[in-house]
Amino acid sequence: MTFESSAQEACYKRVKDWLAGVRYRVEEDPERPVLRVKAGSSLVELAVKPWGDGDGAIRLRAKVVLNPVIDLDLALFLLRESTAQPMGGFGLDREGSIVFEHALLASGCGLEELIEALAMVSQVADRYDNLIVERWGGRRAVDLEG
């Protein structure tokens, strides 16, 4: 695995060490600075990215629904629900799956903030997956993640 900066590498190692000490099952991507954490019934990806001059960003992302019918009604629903969240928001990934994500600035993040953000991302994915599948089809990501 290669890192774009020493700050990104330090952040990745810090996050990995923190997660080793908590109750989550963690999988490491061997090629990218990404950790996958089973939280509740969701699989949350934590990607560590370089940020600015000497910092890093931790992006937490959970897939919610795969292959929904994407129409204006769904897009407006996701935008409105994103504004109702205290942090984070919905989006579509390159494959057309609905995701929920939130980012933390590494320099301002401690273990407690990371665990809270991880729980929040997981809980939002759990809360919305059935509702979205009922109205717009697709498959719940949790059903495919095992």
Side-chain angles (χ1 to χ4, degrees):
M1 169 181 339
T2 58
F3 296 93
E4 295 177 45
S5 70
S6 59
Q8 179 191 23
E9 183 175 9
C11 176
Y12 177 82
K13 288 178 179 177
R14 186 171 64 242
V15 169
K16 184 178 168 187
D17 289 346
W18 283 342
L19 292 174
V22 295
R23 65 186 181 275
Y24 297 111
R25 186 187 84 215
V26 179
E27 297 173 9
E28 188 174 3
D29 186 316
E31 298 177 16
R32 305 177 300 142
V34 173
L35 301 165
R36 292 179 188 85
V37 177
K38 184 75 170 167
S41 64
S42 298
L43 185 65
V44 179
E45 271 195 359
L46 291 88
V48 177
K49 306 282 189 179
W51 183 260
D53 188 27
D55 207 347
I58 307 162
R59 188 193 69 212
L60 299 94
R61 173 188 280 189
K63 285 196 178 195
V64 181
V65 174
L66 287 72
N67 302 315
V69 175
I70 300 169
D71 61 12
L72 181 59
D73 188 41
L74 174 59
L76 291 173
F77 173 80
L78 295 174
L79 286 170
R80 288 184 184 115
E81 293 303 309
S82 289
T83 63
Q85 303 306 314
M87 50 187 189
F90 289 99
L92 296 173
D93 69 10
R94 292 174 192 222
E95 290 82 38
S97 296
I98 297 170
V99 297
F100 187 82
E101 63 182 27
H102 177 62
L104 300 166
L105 189 59
S107 61
C109 180
L111 174 60
E112 185 175 321
E113 290 85 7
L114 181 67
I115 298 304
E116 286 295 320
L118 185 58
M120 183 271 305
V121 169
S122 172
Q123 290 165 7
V124 170
D126 288 346
R127 189 173 336 130
Y128 281 90
D129 58 2
N130 288 323
L131 173 66
I132 292 169
V133 168
E134 286 173 16
R135 289 181 65 184
W136 292 281
R139 297 190 61 195
R140 297 181 326 150
V142 66
D143 295 334
L144 303 175
E145 293 167 349

